[in-house]
Amino acid sequence: MGLSFFKQEPKIDFVGARFICLGLSALLLLVGLASLALKGGPRYGIDFAGGLMIQAKFEKAPDVEAIKKVLDSLGLPGLVVQSFGQEGDNEVLIRSGQTELTTDAVKTQIDQALAGLDNAHEVQRVEMVGPKVGADLRNKAMEAMFYAVLLISMYISGRFEQRWWAAGAMAGGLMATVYVFHQFGIPTGGLTVLLIAVSMVLCLYLKLNYALGAVVALVHDVIITIGIFSLLDKEFDLTTIAALLTIIGYSLNDTIIVFDRIRENLKAMKGEPLATVINKSANQTLSRTILTSGTTLLVVACLYFFGGGVIHDFALALLVGIGVGTYSSIFIAAAILLALKPKADAPTEQPA
């Protein structure tokens, strides 16, 4: 007998709480989107926006205002100085926009300026990214997220509904949409949002119910995570994108576990209302969900509190995303499936 969190199968009415959960999700989405709109979009780090970043460690607790005052004389554009890492690390991050100086020249100037402080320091990291490289990285990151969602839609359509032709038709429709939109010169960010919206419309039209439920849950998880980052005024860089792609994979895994049990129970419980089948399936997988998500969150929490400043935002994105992804697998994806009413007549998949 495997490890189980419950001695007996719970009988929680997940379906009955769906409207409360949908309302909560709508509120989180609206607050996050409003924050993004008011701030003009995500706050990109130098990976995506271009610029200069220096990490310096001081012997004693650094005075951020004093450091900013001595660096102001250098005339660096968009200079920002902030504490970095845990208390006692005595580290600061120095950020600036694009400058015509070389990396070595800027490092030397900052080194000389900081030497005037009564606090010994050491420059530990210097990063400079050009604006074109930053824009290219940003576009590639958006494309990676879109194609991840597209391939996931195709996989779920084939796995749960055995309709590869419909999944292929959706991929063909999206490729045609990409070609048409490219002719109008739509930026990659806007194009990605449009394509995800088109994916949902195609899933609905082709009756790819499981794929639509999974895609809605994934988009829900990613937007809430981005919204919370915007509310906390956190930067988006390559590590954040890596965290979002990890969240997509983790949330999908949870959703597939629940969907798989729903599909099996639809055949075993013929005649039972779909809401009863979904509740039964969610309760049967709840022990596994708590154990896997709980242990994963424990590890990520350790990274967040003890992993240091470099991976702090990465761990925060995972903490939010895995928590929201676990919730959406039960309350959002299953609620979408209940609204679409999938049938139990899909051919049985042969075990690999």
Side-chain angles (χ1 to χ4, degrees), residues 52 54 99 101-109 126-129:
L52 170 77
I54 290 181
T99 172
L101 299 174
T102 65
T103 305
D104 288 340
V106 174
K107 178 178 179 297
T108 301
Q109 288 189 5
V126 181
E127 294 181 10
M128 181 177 279
V129 178

Side-chain angles (χ1 to χ4, degrees), residues 222-241:
V222 170
I223 292 179
I224 286 182
T225 305
I226 292 174
I228 290 177
F229 257 57
S230 177
L231 286 170
L232 297 176
D233 206 26
K234 295 286 186 182
E235 286 189 347
F236 277 80
D237 53 22
L238 287 175
T239 60
T240 313
I241 295 298

